[in-house]
């Protein structure tokens, strides 16, 4: 199956992976709407090209989502490919379950996506179908130490996408789950721990765009070594699993 160029909408398209995906899609003939909160970032990605259109949006604002959805459809006609890539990543101290920090991460990464679903699915049904993708993470494969809020939002997102894949298939809406390993971006530059198999942003974008357009498979996960490492850990019996994840804790902050 090949997905032909049409109209894509990338949430989180002002920086990092989302920006690289938007630029690559435009190079391959797509018209791309990009959204995020920082208008200057969106404008610099669009760089005056008519194939990339900025639509500033905060995914924690339901009213703005409805207005944006209407505006994108009114101006671009339809949404063939939707990619949700907005995320907040807050390095948290081990054992810190501060509600405000959790709330910000959940409200953006998980509820931000959920807020967009009803109007998006309505639009895709109206136009006869579409591809609906979200960037989760290999960090969602299991409960990752030092990553309580972020990892659990990505796990929730994978679970939700699995439900949606089955439920929306009869409506001709193809649900896709993207699970990158570590990629260089604003998000990971805060990290003070080793990031194995770290990828360049453009490399990640190429894998995502190829995965989305050259097949209709559910899971687009990379790099392979990181994916197999994380999946193997997930399938370990809990005794071995917790011995291993316990070793991921920093020595000075157990
Ligand atoms: N980098 C990695 O190693 C890695 C690995 C696995 C998965 N991912 C996922 O890949 C996606 C892209 O991340 P990235 O690494 O490219 O980092 P990034 O450059 O920080 O991208 C995150 C994007 O989310 C947008 N965003 C944050 N809060 C938002 C809000 N309330 N409303 C609208 N947009 C919002 C940001 O734009 P504004 O600040 O302008 O709103 C930014 O463009 C994320 O879902 C991330 O979880 C990344």
């Amino acid at each position: 199956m090949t997905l032909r160029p049409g109209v894509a909408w990338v949430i989180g398209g002002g920086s990092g992976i989302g920006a690289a995906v938007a630029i690559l899609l435009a190079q391959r003939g797509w018209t791309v709407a990009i959204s995020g909160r920082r208008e200057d970032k969106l404008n610099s990605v669009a760089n005056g090209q008519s194939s990339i259109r900025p639509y500033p949006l905060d995914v924690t604002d339901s009213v703005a989502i409805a207005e944006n959805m209407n505006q994108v459809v009114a101006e671009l006609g339809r949404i063939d490919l939707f990619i949700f890539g907005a995320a907040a990543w807050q390095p948290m101290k081990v054992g810190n379950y501060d509600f405000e920090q959790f709330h910000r991460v959940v409200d953006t990464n998980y509820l931000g996506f959920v807020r967009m679903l009803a109007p998006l699915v309505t639009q895709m049904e109206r136009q006869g179908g579409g591809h609906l993708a979200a960037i989760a993470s290999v960090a969602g494969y299991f409960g990752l130490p030092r990553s309580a809020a972020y990892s659990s939002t990505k796990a929730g997102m994978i679970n939700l996408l699995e439900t949606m894949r089955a439920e929306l298939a009869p409506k001709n809406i193809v649900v896709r789950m993207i699970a990158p390993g570590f990629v260089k971006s604003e998000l990971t530059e805060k990290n003070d721990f080793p990031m194995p198999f770290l990828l360049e942003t453009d490399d990640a974008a190429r894998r995502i765009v190829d995965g989305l357009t050259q097949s209709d498979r559910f899971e687009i996960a990379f790099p392979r070594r990181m994916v197999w490492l994380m999946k193997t850990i997930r399938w370990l019996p809990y005794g071995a699993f917790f011995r291993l994840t316990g070793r991921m804790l920093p020595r000075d902050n157990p």
Side-chain angles (χ1 to χ4, degrees), residues 31-234:
T31 300
V32 190
I34 52 172
S35 295
R37 292 163 304 179
R38 291 169 296 173
E39 207 166 342
D40 57 325
K41 288 275 185 184
L42 300 174
N43 289 337
S44 91
V45 173
N47 197 21
Q49 305 170 64
S50 60
S51 54
I52 304 186
R53 314 274 190 93
Y55 292 88
L57 174 66
D58 183 337
V59 298
T60 65
D61 180 343
S62 300
V63 175
I65 286 173
E67 287 169 1
N68 253 252
M69 189 86 54
N70 290 337
Q71 199 186 348
V72 169
V73 174
E75 291 177 6
L76 306 182
R78 49 189 291 120
I79 303 162
D80 299 294
L81 171 62
F82 174 84
I83 306 172
F84 185 89
W89 153 240
Q90 174 76 50
M92 290 166 79
K93 285 211 168 5
V94 173
N96 173 16
Y97 305 117
D98 177 80
F99 179 78
E100 291 308 324
Q101 291 195 356
F102 251 82
H103 185 264
R104 192 173 76 84
V105 175
V106 173
D107 207 24
T108 306
N109 303 10
Y110 185 76
L111 293 179
F113 177 55
V114 173
R115 271 186 202 95
M116 302 202 73
L117 290 180
L120 184 66
V121 168
T122 304
Q123 171 56 30
M124 286 191 171
E125 274 187 280
R126 194 182 298 136
Q127 66 188 34
H131 286 246
L132 195 165
I135 309 181
S137 170
V138 298
Y141 288 161
F142 63 84
L144 202 56
R146 310 185 73 181
S147 185
Y150 182 83
S151 177
S152 56
T153 59
K154 296 300 186 179
M157 180 175 253
I158 293 171
N159 189 302
L160 171 61
L161 291 164
E162 287 167 355
T163 300
M164 290 169 58
R165 174 88 175 192
E167 290 186 353
L168 297 181
K171 298 178 192 286
N172 202 25
I173 299 173
V174 186
V175 174
R176 328 287 302 270
M177 191 276 285
I178 301 162
F182 289 113
V183 179
K184 276 189 200 166
S185 71
E186 281 179 18
L187 197 112
T188 45
E189 73 189 8
K190 306 171 196 157
N191 293 350
D192 61 356
F193 49 81
M195 293 186 276
F197 316 122
L198 182 70
L199 293 181
E200 295 294 331
T201 321
D202 288 345
D203 186 359
R206 187 187 46 74
R207 292 168 193 252
I208 292 170
V209 172
D210 285 351
L212 288 172
T213 58
Q214 293 172 10
S215 78
D216 65 358
R217 70 181 189 271
F218 175 66
E219 183 181 41
I220 299 162
F222 57 85
R224 197 170 295 176
R225 282 180 297 176
M226 187 68 178
V227 173
W228 283 110
L229 177 68
M230 298 296 273
K231 288 199 173 192
T232 305
I233 295 173
R234 184 186 67 180

